[in-house]
Amino acid sequence: MSQGMTPEFVLGYRALMLDGLAREAEITKKVLAAVPDAKSDYRPDPNARTAKELAWHIANTDIQFLDGIADLEFKMEVPEHKPQTSAEVAAWYDENMKRGLERVKGMTAEQLLTPVTFFNVFNFPSVFYLGFLNNHSIHHRGELATYLRPMGAKVPSIYGGSYDEPFQMPEPAETAA
């Protein structure tokens, strides 16, 4: 899989992905914080996760992916102290995403090209798991966003306006005289 990939390519790919992940994390924080604590046991189906379980799955798994990439080994360990409220989950996510993104930003091209096994299912260069992280996070964030309105919560703007947070055109920049 890493045949033909140059150090320049993986460094550029990492920069592109980290920039996107940082922007996505800001959106994810809004969705995590929107879960009303009083109704966090909501689930749309008996086989679905509760909103609280899903919010924690998103937050914790994003961090586990970043740490697995930086460590060149996926352990998928759960922290000892698990945040309880939506505000705590969003704050924990913010702090640990920044830490994890910085860890990956500090990796060398050689480390980014190192094949890493993901539970004997995949064996890709570590940098490729940034795409898995992005897709997994967006998938579950969309799932959690569909829980919000039935829970009586407001749906934040994700990729444009929502009913609750309509799109606002930015103010035009003033031209210099």
Side-chain angles (χ1 to χ4, degrees), residues 48-60:
R49 289 180 170 118
T50 67
K52 185 175 186 172
E53 291 167 341
L54 185 54
W56 177 245
H57 175 71
I58 295 165
N60 188 47

Side-chain angles (χ1 to χ4, degrees), residues 50-126:
T50 67
K52 185 175 186 172
E53 291 167 341
L54 185 54
W56 177 245
H57 175 71
I58 295 165
N60 188 47
T61 304
D62 281 6
I63 305 314
Q64 289 173 333
F65 262 112
L66 288 172
D67 285 339
I69 292 164
D71 293 339
L72 301 175
E73 177 184 16
F74 289 101
K75 299 174 198 156
M76 306 307 262
E77 296 173 340
V78 178
E80 285 184 32
H81 172 70
K82 190 164 117 179
Q84 294 303 306
T85 68
S86 295
E88 289 171 355
V89 170
W92 182 91
Y93 178 77
D94 182 48
E95 176 184 335
N96 285 284
M97 276 299 286
K98 288 175 181 168
R99 176 192 57 77
L101 291 169
E102 283 301 314
R103 288 190 71 206
V104 174
K105 186 177 179 182
M107 295 174 74
T108 66
E110 182 181 28
Q111 290 169 319
L112 294 168
L113 284 166
T114 300
V116 178
T117 301
F118 186 79
F119 302 104
N120 295 319
V121 177
F122 302 110
N123 188 32
F124 295 133
S126 65

Side-chain angles (χ1 to χ4, degrees), residues 39-52:
K39 296 183 180 178
S40 65
D41 61 344
Y42 171 80
R43 67 176 85 217
D45 182 87
N47 295 316
R49 289 180 170 118
T50 67
K52 185 175 186 172

Side-chain angles (χ1 to χ4, degrees), residues 96-166:
N96 285 284
M97 276 299 286
K98 288 175 181 168
R99 176 192 57 77
L101 291 169
E102 283 301 314
R103 288 190 71 206
V104 174
K105 186 177 179 182
M107 295 174 74
T108 66
E110 182 181 28
Q111 290 169 319
L112 294 168
L113 284 166
T114 300
V116 178
T117 301
F118 186 79
F119 302 104
N120 295 319
V121 177
F122 302 110
N123 188 32
F124 295 133
S126 65
V127 73
F128 280 18
Y129 292 103
L130 292 172
F132 278 73
L133 183 168
N134 189 57
N135 295 346
H136 179 269
S137 186
I138 291 171
H139 162 74
H140 285 300
R141 181 181 71 204
E143 182 183 12
L144 183 59
T146 67
Y147 284 30
L148 295 175
R149 199 168 313 285
M151 294 168 57
K154 295 189 183 303
V155 178
S157 167
I158 296 176
Y159 290 127
S162 73
Y163 175 80
D164 302 308
E165 199 176 288

